[in-house]
């Protein structure tokens, strides 16, 4: 039985359904964070590991720019590189993420070194960058569609962090504010691209697989954090240990 | 016998020596162009083929951005993508190159389609893009060092084209003017990077090999033009034929 070709609206609804089931807003680690159930060390571990994801985003986007066929498409996508790398020192998404790790009391050099990373974080993030570099252009573009769901999780995260943790201030959460406007702009383009180019049932199936893959990339990172820092709390050799690793 | 480690100045001099011997300012096709010995069809063939090189430059630079490890390095290199793709429609190096092919009476859609390309042009340019994507970062950066020599060849080319061909105006040569300032800025960074990172004789040898490779990429494109459009004038099947191919 082969799938039928979906309309643009049905395609979008099917994507939202996948997000509803698989996006990391459903992950227990996110719920602990949102509900104020994490201690400072656990929030540190989250911010330190998530730094690697932030730091690799411009590489992912540059691979995508390299593969887009026209100046107009590349201009559209390169905005994302600029958003993350900034216009100068201490601007852009990566620099804003470092304000968060600073605010959490982590040593900046240690964070940037990625020495304390959970290996599973590195594997998941690298899998994402390699996916964008190596798969079809349609899959590469579709892999950013998780941004359809990010404003909601960011709102929950920011509210939960501010309300529940006295060691977190609005200033240290500066990363998230621009993302609330950047993500919808980015995703509008990607969604339109996917609707236009996924023009067979097979390509639409590929887009769904891609979104599932990308949800896995995000989910696996929270699994690793939960395993290492919540339960059973088995931190792999070499990984960050709250209060103990040189920070 | 292993080579000795060269100082920064000696490294630069050795690079200039390679350029003196192998850069395409020595190619007979360039001399014909500079000296007004090409006809309009031959200049068209040159501009049409060279378009593909221009069109792939942002992909090459985006691959490089993807591989650079820090926001500061990526910010520096992404300027090149912006230079070539422009800030909006009809700006940037690729758009300016199309003003040249327009001015030469070539159909813009035909140029952009790259249907009339010499296969050897495609192979050489793709080899360059793949080199930057796949080789070490040092080699990727070093591969742009031919820009050390480009202001000179551009000056010769512009002067020769304006003086000798009544079908060429200063406006159609708009591509080259910004390159006279962009290339030195770009190369200063790349040369400093190479001097810093080629910190063993082996790596310095790799840099020399890279510059030779890149000179080959440029040289092979003029060989193919000479072979197809000057002597013996054997145009490969499907390639642009002046005055005959739908233009």
């Amino acid at each position: 039985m082969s799938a039928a070709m979906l309309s643009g609206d049905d395609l979008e609804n099917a994507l939202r359904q996948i997000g509803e089931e698989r996006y990391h807003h459903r992950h227990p680690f996110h719920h602990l964070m949102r509900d104020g159930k994490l201690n400072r060390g656990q929030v540190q571990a989250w911010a330190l590991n998530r730094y690697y994801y932030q730091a690799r985003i411009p590489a992912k986007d540059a691979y995508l720019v390299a593969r887009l066929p026209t100046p107009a498409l590349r201009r559209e996508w390169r905005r994302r590189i600029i958003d993350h790398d900034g216009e100068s020192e201490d601007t852009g998404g990566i620099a804003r993420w470092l304000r968060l790790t600073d605010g959490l009391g982590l040593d900046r050099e240690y964070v940037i070194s990625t020495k304390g990373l959970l290996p599973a974080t590195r594997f998941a993030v690298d899998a994402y960058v390699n996916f964008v570099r190596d798969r079809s252009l349609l899959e590469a573009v579709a892999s950013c569609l998780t941004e359809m769901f990010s404003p909601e999780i960011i709102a929950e995260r920011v509210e939960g962090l501010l309300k529940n943790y006295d060691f977190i201030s609005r200033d240290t959460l500066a990363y998230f504010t621009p993302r609330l406007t950047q993500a919808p702009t980015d995703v509008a383009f990607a969604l339109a691209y996917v609707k236009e180019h996924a023009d067979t049932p097979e390509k639409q199936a590929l887009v769904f697989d891609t979104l599932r893959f990308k949800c896995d990339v995000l989910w696996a990172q929270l699994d690793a954090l939960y395993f290492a820092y919540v339960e059973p709390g088995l931190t792999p050799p070499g990984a960050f240990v709250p209060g103990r690793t040189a920070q």
Side-chain angles (χ1 to χ4, degrees), chain A:
Chain A
M1 191 191 85
S2 70
M5 179 76 188
L6 301 180
S7 69
D9 282 353
D10 287 348
L11 179 84
E12 182 170 341
N13 286 336
L15 291 167
R16 291 196 185 283
Q17 184 61 32
I18 292 172
E20 194 42 59
E21 289 164 13
R22 289 170 171 258
Y23 190 59
H24 61 173
H25 71 307
R26 296 180 74 96
H27 197 285
F29 192 89
H30 171 65
H31 297 161
L32 292 176
M33 180 183 301
R34 180 196 61 192
D35 298 340
K37 305 281 174 56
L38 298 180
N39 60 37
R40 186 163 177 268
Q42 290 165 326
V43 177
Q44 284 179 324
W46 167 73
L48 175 115
N49 276 275
R50 173 86 185 193
Y51 168 78
Y52 186 63
Y53 183 78
Q54 302 303 139
R56 298 300 294 153
I57 290 288
K60 181 269 292 180
D61 286 321
Y63 277 126
L64 224 156
V65 167
R67 303 186 58 201
L68 287 168
T70 68
L73 288 170
R74 288 192 297 263
R75 278 196 300 269
E76 166 61 35
W77 208 277
R78 82 182 184 215
R79 202 171 23 75
R80 296 156 182 256
I81 304 177
I82 297 170
D83 285 344
H84 281 270
D85 278 337
E87 294 289 355
S88 57
E89 207 62 32
D90 290 324
T91 66
I94 296 173
R96 290 200 310 277
W97 196 268
L98 290 169
R99 291 228 286 282
L100 171 61
T101 56
D102 285 352
L104 290 169
L106 291 163
D107 180 74
R108 190 174 267 229
E109 221 173 294
Y110 178 71
V111 172
I112 293 173
S113 78
T114 73
K115 277 183 197 157
L117 221 56
L118 294 169
T121 303
R122 194 181 301 279
F123 301 153
V125 171
D126 290 352
Y128 179 33
V129 177
N130 295 344
F131 183 97
V132 170
R133 184 189 64 195
D134 298 335
R135 295 296 189 100
S136 72
L137 188 53
L138 175 63
E139 290 165 283
V141 171
S143 71
C144 88
L145 288 175
T146 43
E147 286 181 336
M148 291 168 73
F149 321 122
S150 70
E152 196 186 332
I153 201 173
I154 288 177
E156 275 193 8
R157 202 185 275 149
V158 168
E159 195 194 329
L161 285 168
L162 284 176
K163 194 172 90 182
N164 295 305
Y165 303 96
D166 56 10
F167 51 88
I168 285 184
S169 71
R170 193 163 283 280
D171 183 55
T172 57
L173 296 181
Y175 173 77
F176 297 104
T177 316
R179 291 307 302 158
L180 291 171
T181 51
Q182 286 164 354
T185 311
D186 291 350
V187 86
F189 175 84
L191 193 55
Y193 183 97
V194 164
K195 285 180 181 178
E196 182 187 345
H197 289 86
D199 52 7
T200 65
E202 291 72 24
K203 287 186 197 168
Q204 292 189 332
L206 216 50
V207 167
F208 299 141
D209 282 346
T210 299
L211 183 57
R212 287 187 199 102
F213 161 79
K214 176 63 180 301
C215 286
D216 288 348
V217 164
L218 298 171
W219 193 275
Q221 292 176 67
L222 296 191
D223 275 357
L225 284 164
Y226 199 101
F227 181 87
Y229 299 107
V230 181
E231 195 190 334
L234 290 170
T235 311
F240 170 71
V241 177
R244 205 140 55 89
T245 309
Q247 297 157 29

Short mmCIF file of all heavy atoms in Angstrom, two decimals, chain A residues 184-210:
data_model
loop_
_atom_site.label_atom_id
_atom_site.label_comp_id
_atom_site.label_asym_id
_atom_site.label_seq_id
_atom_site.Cartn_x
_atom_site.Cartn_y
_atom_site.Cartn_z
N PRO A 184 10.07 31.51 14.08
CA PRO A 184 8.93 31.52 13.16
C PRO A 184 9.27 32.00 11.75
O PRO A 184 8.77 31.46 10.77
CB PRO A 184 7.93 32.47 13.84
CG PRO A 184 8.30 32.41 15.29
CD PRO A 184 9.79 32.26 15.30
N THR A 185 10.15 33.01 11.62
CA THR A 185 10.58 33.47 10.30
C THR A 185 11.29 32.34 9.57
O THR A 185 11.04 32.07 8.40
CB THR A 185 11.59 34.64 10.44
OG1 THR A 185 11.05 35.59 11.34
CG2 THR A 185 11.85 35.29 9.09
N ASP A 186 12.21 31.68 10.28
CA ASP A 186 12.98 30.60 9.68
C ASP A 186 12.06 29.48 9.23
O ASP A 186 12.21 28.94 8.13
CB ASP A 186 13.99 30.03 10.69
CG ASP A 186 15.11 31.01 10.99
OD1 ASP A 186 15.21 32.04 10.29
OD2 ASP A 186 15.87 30.75 11.94
N VAL A 187 11.12 29.13 10.09
CA VAL A 187 10.32 27.95 9.79
C VAL A 187 9.31 28.22 8.69
O VAL A 187 8.96 27.32 7.92
CB VAL A 187 9.66 27.40 11.07
CG1 VAL A 187 8.33 28.09 11.35
CG2 VAL A 187 9.48 25.90 10.98
N ALA A 188 8.87 29.47 8.56
CA ALA A 188 7.93 29.79 7.47
C ALA A 188 8.59 29.49 6.13
O ALA A 188 7.97 28.90 5.24
CB ALA A 188 7.52 31.26 7.55
N PHE A 189 9.85 29.88 6.00
CA PHE A 189 10.57 29.61 4.75
C PHE A 189 10.74 28.11 4.54
O PHE A 189 10.46 27.58 3.46
CB PHE A 189 11.94 30.29 4.79
CG PHE A 189 12.77 29.95 3.58
CD1 PHE A 189 12.62 30.65 2.40
CD2 PHE A 189 13.69 28.91 3.64
CE1 PHE A 189 13.37 30.31 1.29
CE2 PHE A 189 14.44 28.57 2.53
CZ PHE A 189 14.28 29.28 1.35
N ALA A 190 11.19 27.41 5.57
CA ALA A 190 11.46 25.98 5.42
C ALA A 190 10.18 25.20 5.12
O ALA A 190 10.18 24.29 4.28
CB ALA A 190 12.12 25.45 6.69
N LEU A 191 9.11 25.58 5.78
CA LEU A 191 7.84 24.88 5.57
C LEU A 191 7.34 25.11 4.14
O LEU A 191 6.88 24.17 3.48
CB LEU A 191 6.82 25.38 6.60
CG LEU A 191 5.54 24.57 6.76
CD1 LEU A 191 5.82 23.11 7.07
CD2 LEU A 191 4.68 25.18 7.89
N ALA A 192 7.45 26.34 3.66
CA ALA A 192 7.04 26.62 2.27
C ALA A 192 7.91 25.83 1.29
O ALA A 192 7.41 25.27 0.31
CB ALA A 192 7.14 28.12 1.99
N TYR A 193 9.20 25.76 1.58
CA TYR A 193 10.12 25.02 0.71
C TYR A 193 9.72 23.54 0.67
O TYR A 193 9.66 22.92 -0.40
CB TYR A 193 11.55 25.18 1.21
CG TYR A 193 12.58 24.48 0.33
CD1 TYR A 193 13.28 25.20 -0.64
CD2 TYR A 193 12.84 23.11 0.45
CE1 TYR A 193 14.20 24.58 -1.47
CE2 TYR A 193 13.76 22.49 -0.36
CZ TYR A 193 14.45 23.22 -1.32
OH TYR A 193 15.35 22.59 -2.14
N VAL A 194 9.46 23.00 1.84
CA VAL A 194 9.12 21.58 1.93
C VAL A 194 7.79 21.29 1.22
O VAL A 194 7.66 20.32 0.49
CB VAL A 194 9.08 21.13 3.41
CG1 VAL A 194 8.36 19.81 3.57
CG2 VAL A 194 10.51 21.04 3.96
N LYS A 195 6.81 22.17 1.43
CA LYS A 195 5.52 21.97 0.75
C LYS A 195 5.69 21.99 -0.76
O LYS A 195 5.03 21.24 -1.48
CB LYS A 195 4.52 23.06 1.18
CG LYS A 195 3.95 22.87 2.58
CD LYS A 195 2.96 24.00 2.92
CE LYS A 195 2.41 23.81 4.33
NZ LYS A 195 1.49 24.91 4.70
N GLU A 196 6.56 22.85 -1.24
CA GLU A 196 6.75 22.96 -2.69
C GLU A 196 7.53 21.77 -3.25
O GLU A 196 7.22 21.25 -4.33
CB GLU A 196 7.49 24.27 -3.02
CG GLU A 196 7.68 24.47 -4.53
CD GLU A 196 8.54 25.67 -4.85
OE1 GLU A 196 8.75 26.53 -3.94
OE2 GLU A 196 9.04 25.75 -6.00
N HIS A 197 8.58 21.36 -2.54
CA HIS A 197 9.51 20.37 -3.11
C HIS A 197 9.20 18.92 -2.77
O HIS A 197 9.71 18.02 -3.42
CB HIS A 197 10.95 20.71 -2.71
CG HIS A 197 11.47 21.94 -3.39
ND1 HIS A 197 11.26 23.20 -2.88
CD2 HIS A 197 12.14 22.11 -4.56
CE1 HIS A 197 11.80 24.10 -3.69
NE2 HIS A 197 12.33 23.47 -4.72
N ALA A 198 8.40 18.69 -1.74
CA ALA A 198 8.00 17.30 -1.44
C ALA A 198 6.78 17.00 -2.30
O ALA A 198 5.65 16.98 -1.81
CB ALA A 198 7.71 17.14 0.05
N ASP A 199 7.03 16.78 -3.59
CA ASP A 199 5.94 16.74 -4.57
C ASP A 199 5.56 15.32 -5.00
O ASP A 199 4.92 15.12 -6.02
CB ASP A 199 6.30 17.60 -5.79
CG ASP A 199 7.66 17.23 -6.36
OD1 ASP A 199 8.26 16.23 -5.89
OD2 ASP A 199 8.14 17.94 -7.26
N THR A 200 5.98 14.35 -4.21
CA THR A 200 5.52 12.97 -4.41
C THR A 200 5.25 12.40 -3.02
O THR A 200 5.81 12.89 -2.02
CB THR A 200 6.58 12.08 -5.09
OG1 THR A 200 7.72 11.95 -4.21
CG2 THR A 200 7.05 12.67 -6.43
N PRO A 201 4.42 11.35 -2.94
CA PRO A 201 4.20 10.72 -1.62
C PRO A 201 5.52 10.22 -1.02
O PRO A 201 5.70 10.30 0.20
CB PRO A 201 3.27 9.54 -1.96
CG PRO A 201 2.57 9.94 -3.21
CD PRO A 201 3.56 10.76 -3.99
N GLU A 202 6.43 9.75 -1.87
CA GLU A 202 7.71 9.24 -1.37
C GLU A 202 8.50 10.38 -0.71
O GLU A 202 9.11 10.20 0.35
CB GLU A 202 8.54 8.64 -2.51
CG GLU A 202 7.98 7.35 -3.09
CD GLU A 202 6.71 7.55 -3.94
OE1 GLU A 202 6.52 8.69 -4.46
OE2 GLU A 202 5.91 6.61 -4.06
N LYS A 203 8.51 11.55 -1.35
CA LYS A 203 9.26 12.67 -0.77
C LYS A 203 8.57 13.17 0.50
O LYS A 203 9.23 13.59 1.45
CB LYS A 203 9.39 13.79 -1.80
CG LYS A 203 10.38 13.47 -2.91
CD LYS A 203 10.59 14.66 -3.83
CE LYS A 203 11.23 14.24 -5.14
NZ LYS A 203 11.17 15.33 -6.14
N GLN A 204 7.26 13.13 0.52
CA GLN A 204 6.56 13.53 1.75
C GLN A 204 6.90 12.58 2.90
O GLN A 204 7.11 13.01 4.03
CB GLN A 204 5.04 13.58 1.50
CG GLN A 204 4.64 14.71 0.54
CD GLN A 204 3.14 14.91 0.45
OE1 GLN A 204 2.36 13.97 0.64
NE2 GLN A 204 2.73 16.14 0.13
N ALA A 205 7.00 11.28 2.56
CA ALA A 205 7.38 10.30 3.59
C ALA A 205 8.80 10.58 4.10
O ALA A 205 9.09 10.44 5.30
CB ALA A 205 7.29 8.88 3.02
N LEU A 206 9.66 11.01 3.18
CA LEU A 206 11.04 11.35 3.54
C LEU A 206 11.06 12.53 4.51
O LEU A 206 11.86 12.58 5.46
CB LEU A 206 11.78 11.72 2.24
CG LEU A 206 13.24 11.35 2.07
CD1 LEU A 206 13.49 9.89 2.38
CD2 LEU A 206 13.68 11.67 0.63
N VAL A 207 10.17 13.49 4.28
CA VAL A 207 10.08 14.66 5.16
C VAL A 207 9.62 14.24 6.56
O VAL A 207 10.16 14.70 7.57
CB VAL A 207 9.11 15.71 4.55
CG1 VAL A 207 8.76 16.78 5.57
CG2 VAL A 207 9.74 16.34 3.31
N PHE A 208 8.65 13.32 6.62
CA PHE A 208 8.20 12.84 7.93
C PHE A 208 9.33 12.10 8.65
O PHE A 208 9.55 12.29 9.85
CB PHE A 208 6.98 11.92 7.79
CG PHE A 208 5.79 12.60 7.16
CD1 PHE A 208 4.97 11.94 6.26
CD2 PHE A 208 5.51 13.94 7.46
CE1 PHE A 208 3.88 12.59 5.68
CE2 PHE A 208 4.42 14.59 6.88
CZ PHE A 208 3.61 13.92 5.99
N ASP A 209 10.03 11.25 7.91
CA ASP A 209 11.18 10.55 8.51
C ASP A 209 12.22 11.53 9.03
O ASP A 209 12.83 11.32 10.08
CB ASP A 209 11.85 9.62 7.47
CG ASP A 209 11.06 8.33 7.27
OD1 ASP A 209 10.17 8.04 8.10
OD2 ASP A 209 11.32 7.63 6.27
N THR A 210 12.41 12.59 8.28
CA THR A 210 13.40 13.60 8.68
C THR A 210 12.99 14.27 9.99
O THR A 210 13.82 14.47 10.88
CB THR A 210 13.55 14.67 7.58
OG1 THR A 210 14.01 14.04 6.40
CG2 THR A 210 14.53 15.75 8.00
#
